[in-house]
Amino acid sequence: MKILPSVAAMLFAALASPPLHAEEGGEYQRGLAVAREVCSACHAIQAQQLQSPNARAPTFLALATTPGMTATALTVALTTPHAGMPMFRLTTEQRDGIIAYILSLKQSGSPPGK
């Protein structure tokens, strides 16, 4: 039963540490790189772009500022087939990076680092 205090201490330490944000891990930067390769042919991926190359594709800023937009909603959008959106085979890291990048546009109104 001496294991319980050490488990409790580890749990306390995990709960006491601040959560990592996507910006701290550079996840959104990786997401921007993937978006440039995969998404930019159809979507305006930077906040300064007012119109997407494909008029039917929303801009990333429009996606980010849609009321109620969450990481979960973006995950569904990127993993569920829907009209006009080709299905890409993204790794979890690529998908999470794109989502972090899109949500960063909501927070700052422009891409981080600009």
Side-chain angles (χ1 to χ4, degrees):
M1 287 292 147
K2 291 186 178 199
I3 294 175
L4 287 178
S6 63
V7 171
M10 286 188 306
L11 181 59
F12 177 76
L15 293 174
S17 63
L20 287 177
H21 296 285
E23 294 81 9
E24 292 172 354
E27 190 172 62
Y28 72 85
Q29 292 174 334
R30 288 188 297 276
L32 174 58
V34 174
R36 283 183 175 141
E37 288 181 32
V38 177
C39 310
S40 64
C42 295
H43 294 273
I45 62 169
Q46 296 184 340
Q48 302 88 339
Q49 294 175 281
L50 301 178
Q51 187 172 342
S52 292
N54 178 338
R56 293 178 28 189
T59 67
F60 274 21
L61 183 60
L63 290 170
T65 57
T66 298
M69 186 56 67
T70 63
T72 300
L74 289 169
T75 298
V76 170
L78 289 171
T79 57
T80 306
H82 54 280
M85 175 76 174
M87 285 307 300
F88 296 100
R89 293 190 186 271
L90 300 171
T91 66
T92 300
E93 292 80 17
Q94 289 172 321
R95 185 188 67 232
D96 291 349
I98 291 170
I99 291 168
Y101 174 71
I102 291 171
L103 293 178
S104 76
L105 295 174
K106 178 179 185 174
Q107 295 168 2
S108 66
S110 64
K114 293 275 178 180

